[in-house]
Amino acid sequence: MDLDPEDVFKDEEDGSDNEFFQQSASSKEYVVYLVDASPKMFNTTCPGKDQKDETHFHLAVSCIAESLKTQIISRSYDEVAICFFNTREKKNLQDLNGVFVFNVAEREHLDRPTARLIKEFDCLQESFMREIGSQYGIVPGSRENSLYNALWVAQALLRKGSIKTADKRILLLTNEDDPFGGLLGAAKADMTRTSLQRAKDAQDLGISIELLPLSCPDEEFNVKVFYADLLGLDGEDLVQFMPSAGQKLEDMKDQLRKRMFTRRIIRRITFDITNGLSIQLNTYALIRPAVPGAITWLDSVTNLPLKIERSLICEDTGALIQEPPKRFQPYRNENVKFSMDEISEMKGISTGCLRLLGFKPLSCLKDYHNLRPSTFVYPSDQEVVGSTCIFIALYRSMLRLKRFAVAFYGSSSHPQLVALVAQDEVAKAGVQIEPPGINMIYLPYSDDIRDVEEIFPDTDDDAPRADEDQIQKAAALIKRIDMRDFSVSQFANPETLCSTAGSSSRRR
């Protein structure tokens, strides 16, 4: 079997489009919407967009539906599950009372959102009372704990995948700030303890729990009663959470959108500072163009995604080749064969970690050194305890001394030098504009920087130059069109606004 010798050392995994513009498994997100379906959610109303009263349950369902519609276009690779608790009927793999996992046919409980899921979920409110029902799952004299059961079911749904390759989250929507308020004595203490322990078990597995509170018209949601302990809020975190709990209900969709569009980890890397001392860092892409979802080929009969399979066939015999293919490189009229393991070993120039080389003054770093979007790095104590402490000490020293760090970084086939520049926090009116951390700027190679061509390539004449008057008028024009306080984050990417869900799939 002949293969193209030019492809022997072809880079199959690196590239500018691969890391930031194509979704990899490491930035997938698994989300479980946990919606309270108790009678209080149906009895409490608030003014909607058209000034008509709508229930908290209607508000929660409509917010989730809008989020799913946005996700199926811009983030179709994420997987979601919708779970109701305090329900009359039960539907879950654990067969627990008071928990109903909503789903449609030909779809797993935790899977990518589909058009059928969104369509049936939009119509759910009309048939919810008839088919699922609502009831209080925590009542005196009963040992049933619907909140505990709901957290257990959500945790089981998120067993899929690893926390190293995906972010796992539970979004809890409720208007009940004291789920055990109707209980007394030992029963209340026991159910509170078991529910908090269940939440802690989920968080220990790398699952984050976030609360979207719905405040009643006559009183605000009091997170201190129970959910502060469940979420692990105290001190400054609790103070910062309280204003969002007291926001108006018409801001609910904005709150959900903020939860869904969180900064995602691109990858986790190890930062070797010196011999025997290393810390763990998470890398983020703060600003990137939002591109439409990848094309998915669908079967024209069943409308199901097609599975692509590739087989190698021998040209001489037509038989399927079972052994792994070998590649070759011509050398002195002879083909030198390489196995895939040998090629991978030869490509292994770097281990993929970040290694500190030294420091330089900030004046040495020029604007033209930034040839591609930088990456934001932040410490993580998840695997290496103490990473945050060491990172903060390094970060503060770089800010104080006005220095940047030079480090060696790269994947196995694309090593390069990077500049680590400390970024101070920027806040206006108590709102964070820029987070504190370090930007990793990818430095160019020497042949990436070229002098400006002074002559036309086809002639010996000098290139035309503007006179002083033309330069002054051009400078005045630039100053007039300069926008103050401009940020690219204020505008959505037109490419995704113009795309539709139908454009992301093809049939064959």
Side-chain angles (χ1 to χ4, degrees):
M1 181 185 64
D2 294 334
L3 294 175
D4 185 1
E6 298 297 330
D7 290 338
V8 172
F9 298 101
K10 183 179 179 181
D11 188 4
E12 297 176 347
E13 60 184 32
D14 288 328
S16 59
D17 292 340
N18 185 48
E19 182 178 0
F20 297 113
F21 299 110
Q22 293 181 4
Q23 187 66 21
S24 62
S26 61
S27 57
K28 254 189 176 183
E29 189 168 54
Y30 297 146
V31 179
V32 174
Y33 294 99
L34 206 56
V35 184
D36 186 2
S38 65
K40 185 177 180 181
M41 290 284 288
F42 291 88
N43 298 333
T44 308
T45 59
C46 60
K49 284 186 176 181
D50 52 0
Q51 300 304 320
K52 293 182 180 180
D53 289 343
E54 60 181 7
T55 63
H56 281 178
F57 183 82
H58 172 80
L59 179 64
V61 170
S62 61
C63 288
I64 295 175
E66 289 296 326
S67 176
L68 292 177
K69 293 174 185 177
T70 302
Q71 179 178 340
I72 200 173
I73 296 176
S74 60
R75 304 185 317 282
S76 59
Y77 36 77
D78 290 345
E79 300 184 12
V80 300
I82 304 173
C83 181
F84 298 97
F85 66 101
N86 288 326
T87 60
R88 183 185 68 247
E89 303 295 332
K90 62 179 179 179
K91 181 183 177 183
N92 55 83
L93 297 178
Q94 290 71 28
D95 198 32
L96 299 174
N97 293 328
V99 182
F100 191 96
V101 179
F102 178 81
N103 201 9
V104 295
E106 299 178 353
R107 181 183 179 272
E108 297 181 6
H109 289 313
L110 182 67
D111 206 344
R112 297 182 180 185
T114 61
R116 182 176 180 180
L117 174 71
I118 296 175
K119 183 177 180 180
E120 295 191 14
F121 188 74
D122 269 337
C123 305
L124 177 65
Q125 299 179 63
E126 302 174 1
S127 59
F128 187 87
M129 282 300 188
R130 181 177 67 257
E131 298 180 0
I132 302 177
S134 171
Q135 68 177 17
Y136 287 109
I138 304 173
V139 293
S142 173
R143 299 298 300 172
E144 289 293 338
N145 186 344
S146 58
L147 178 60
Y148 176 90
N149 294 344
L151 292 173
W152 187 356
V153 172
Q155 178 181 331
L157 290 171
L158 292 172
R159 286 177 182 170
K160 182 178 182 180
S162 169
I163 59 172
K164 294 183 179 180
T165 59
D167 295 327
K168 301 181 179 183
R169 307 165 64 195
I170 298 175
L171 292 183
L172 178 61
L173 296 90
T174 182
N175 63 353
E176 179 58 73
D177 53 12
D178 188 8
F180 307 106
L183 304 180
L184 297 173
K188 180 177 182 179
D190 182 59
M191 287 196 179
T192 301
R193 178 184 57 80
T194 55
S195 299
L196 294 178
Q197 184 60 44
R198 173 55 62 184
K200 184 178 182 301
D201 292 343
Q203 292 166 344
D204 290 342
L205 294 175
I207 301 173
S208 64
I209 303 177
E210 299 184 27
L211 175 68
L212 285 171
L214 295 92
S215 298
C216 299
D218 53 344
E219 60 179 340
E220 291 186 353
F221 191 98
N222 188 359
V223 71
K224 296 181 180 179
V225 176
F226 171 75
Y227 283 102
D229 295 330
L230 186 140
L231 302 177
L233 299 175
D234 55 6
E236 185 178 351
D237 293 336
L238 181 59
V239 173
Q240 293 177 354
F241 185 87
M242 291 303 293
S244 64
Q247 287 181 356
K248 297 181 180 179
L249 291 177
E250 52 263 28
D251 296 333
M252 183 67 183
K253 292 182 181 179
D254 293 335
Q255 291 186 48
L256 183 57
R257 187 160 52 247
K258 290 176 183 177
R259 298 297 198 282
M260 295 306 299
F261 284 93
T262 55
R263 304 298 184 190
R264 302 194 184 189
I265 299 173
I266 297 177
R267 63 179 57 172
R268 295 176 174 88
I269 59 177
T270 300
F271 185 21
D272 291 335
I273 299 178
T274 184
N275 294 333
L277 179 61
S278 61
I279 63 176
Q280 184 187 16
L281 300 177
N282 292 336
T283 61
Y284 302 85
L286 296 186
I287 298 177
R288 289 292 183 272
V291 297
I295 292 176
T296 302
W297 294 97
L298 304 178
D299 186 272
S300 58
V301 178
T302 63
N303 204 38
L304 295 177
L306 293 176
K307 183 179 179 180
I308 300 176
E309 295 182 353
R310 185 179 65 173
S311 300
L312 298 177
I313 301 176
C314 180
E315 290 183 351
D316 299 330
T317 63
L320 290 176
I321 299 176
Q322 303 296 337
E323 297 181 359
K326 291 186 177 182
R327 302 188 178 186
F328 67 89
Q329 177 69 22
Y331 180 75
R332 291 186 177 181
N333 299 325
E334 184 179 354
N335 292 332
V336 181
K337 295 182 179 180
F338 298 92
S339 66
M340 298 302 295
D341 293 336
E342 290 173 336
I343 294 178
S344 299
E345 185 178 353
M346 285 185 287
K347 283 185 175 182
I349 303 173
S350 171
T351 59
C353 65
L354 184 66
R355 187 165 69 250
L356 180 64
L357 300 179
F359 299 90
K360 279 182 170 292
L362 285 174
S363 58
C364 296
L365 190 63
K366 306 301 180 182
D367 293 339
Y368 56 82
H369 288 161
N370 192 11
L371 298 183
R372 55 177 285 193
S374 61
T375 301
F376 188 79
V377 297
Y378 205 75
S380 172
D381 289 333
Q382 185 174 352
E383 294 185 4
V384 182
V385 180
S387 297
T388 302
C389 246
I390 299 175
F391 182 88
I392 291 175
L394 179 64
Y395 162 80
R396 289 177 176 173
S397 298
M398 292 167 63
L399 282 178
R400 186 180 71 255
L401 300 175
K402 297 182 179 180
R403 303 261 175 162
F404 72 92
V406 180
F408 177 80
Y409 173 69
S411 62
S412 59
S413 56
H414 189 61
Q416 62 187 124
L417 295 179
V418 295
L420 303 178
V421 182
Q423 170 181 292
D424 202 358
E425 182 179 17
V426 179
K428 290 184 179 180
V431 179
Q432 187 185 75
I433 306 299
E434 297 291 346
I438 291 179
N439 286 297
M440 184 165 65
I441 299 175
Y442 301 90
L443 298 177
Y445 294 100
S446 59
D447 56 356
D448 290 331
I449 303 175
R450 300 186 177 99
D451 296 330
V452 179
E453 298 292 340
E454 296 293 342
I455 59 174
F456 290 110
D458 299 333
T459 66
D460 295 333
D461 300 332
D462 290 340
R465 293 180 176 275
D467 56 34
E468 190 63 29
D469 183 56
Q470 291 173 329
I471 294 176
Q472 292 179 359
K473 290 181 178 180
L477 176 63
I478 296 299
K479 290 181 180 180
R480 284 182 176 272
I481 64 176
D482 183 31
M483 292 183 290
R484 296 181 179 178
D485 298 328
F486 169 78
S487 174
V488 293
S489 303
Q490 299 170 356
F491 302 93
N493 186 26
E495 186 175 3
T496 56
L497 297 178
C498 298
S499 63
T500 60
S503 64
S504 62
S505 64
R506 304 282 176 85
R507 291 179 173 85
R508 70 185 313 182

